[in-house]
Amino acid sequence: MRIRAGVPTLVAAIAFTWAAGPGFVALGASQAPKPTITLRVLNEGAVDVRVLLLAKIEAARIFTRSGIDLVWLDCEPSGSVEWGSVSPCQRDLGPTEYWMRFVTRGRLPSREPTGDILGFTELEESRTSDTAVVRYAAAVDAAEKWRAGVDQILGATMAHEVGHLLLGASAHSANGVMCGY
């Protein structure tokens, strides 16, 4: 398993908290600042803003258990870069910043079959554009199949893909948010 450079504290917090179980409360946790992950969101799939907001709340709820805060930065999907811009969406990624793209029918990595894949993560050694991609149409189909809210499916998928951004491509588990269905 490859651990992403620049986030060892976040990885340790996730591993420790999940291993400790749901009743765990760290001594002095209220005094220490929580680790934060910033996700730059590109809504290329035109997901309804209310559904997207509820999905963000669901993903944040999932990460709260591990003591990590998620910060959402909504960016325009135009793709154009304006030289000298002060927009936080156009600066280089920081050590705990990643892209989160929502697409209707995104291209899949060539090694993956198409079908009902909800998302995937594009990791680069240079860490210049690590990206999680969530496929909205697949989430709608899964919500119907599993009789769940689209926002719940999107939120869980987002949390799963952020897990890959932090822990690498091989970070699946037998159960929990990192379980591949």
Side-chain angles (χ1 to χ4, degrees), residues 15-79:
F16 181 74
T17 306
W18 283 344
F24 174 76
V25 176
L27 296 176
S30 61
Q31 293 91 4
K34 292 168 105 178
T36 301
I37 297 169
T38 300
L39 298 165
R40 298 182 190 184
V41 178
L42 292 172
N43 188 4
E44 298 168 354
V47 177
D48 180 272
V49 293
R50 292 170 298 202
V51 171
L52 192 53
L53 175 62
L54 291 172
K56 289 175 182 178
I57 291 169
E58 178 67 13
R61 184 192 65 75
I62 292 168
F63 265 87
T64 295
R65 182 171 172 216
S66 65
I68 296 173
D69 283 333
L70 298 180
V71 173
W72 308 96
L73 181 59
D74 292 323
C75 300
E76 293 295 321
S78 66

Side-chain angles (χ1 to χ4, degrees), residues 105 108 112-118 135 138 141 181:
R105 299 235 183 253
L108 298 172
E112 299 290 343
T114 56
D116 57 357
I117 291 178
L118 295 168
R135 300 176 68 230
D141 293 344
Y181 78 99

Side-chain angles (χ1 to χ4, degrees), residues 22-176:
F24 174 76
V25 176
L27 296 176
S30 61
Q31 293 91 4
K34 292 168 105 178
T36 301
I37 297 169
T38 300
L39 298 165
R40 298 182 190 184
V41 178
L42 292 172
N43 188 4
E44 298 168 354
V47 177
D48 180 272
V49 293
R50 292 170 298 202
V51 171
L52 192 53
L53 175 62
L54 291 172
K56 289 175 182 178
I57 291 169
E58 178 67 13
R61 184 192 65 75
I62 292 168
F63 265 87
T64 295
R65 182 171 172 216
S66 65
I68 296 173
D69 283 333
L70 298 180
V71 173
W72 308 96
L73 181 59
D74 292 323
C75 300
E76 293 295 321
S78 66
S80 63
V81 176
E82 191 175 313
W83 189 82
S85 171
V86 295
S87 168
C89 294
Q90 294 189 10
R91 69 173 190 254
D92 291 339
L93 292 174
T96 58
E97 292 183 306
Y98 303 95
W99 288 102
M100 174 74 65
R101 291 179 49 222
F102 292 88
V103 298
T104 48
R105 299 235 183 253
R107 67 171 174 75
L108 298 172
S110 58
R111 68 186 186 287
E112 299 290 343
T114 56
D116 57 357
I117 291 178
L118 295 168
F120 57 92
T121 305
E122 299 169 333
L123 301 172
E124 295 183 9
E125 287 301 319
S126 65
R127 250 219 30 84
T128 57
S129 63
D130 287 350
T131 304
V133 179
V134 177
R135 300 176 68 230
Y136 179 65
V140 170
D141 293 344
E144 290 176 12
K145 177 180 175 182
W146 297 329
R147 296 185 181 154
V150 175
D151 57 299
Q152 294 171 314
I153 300 295
L154 286 173
T157 303
M158 292 158 63
H160 178 90
E161 297 307 329
V162 169
H164 283 302
L165 290 170
L166 296 174
L167 302 171
S170 304
H172 286 114
S173 64
N175 52 38

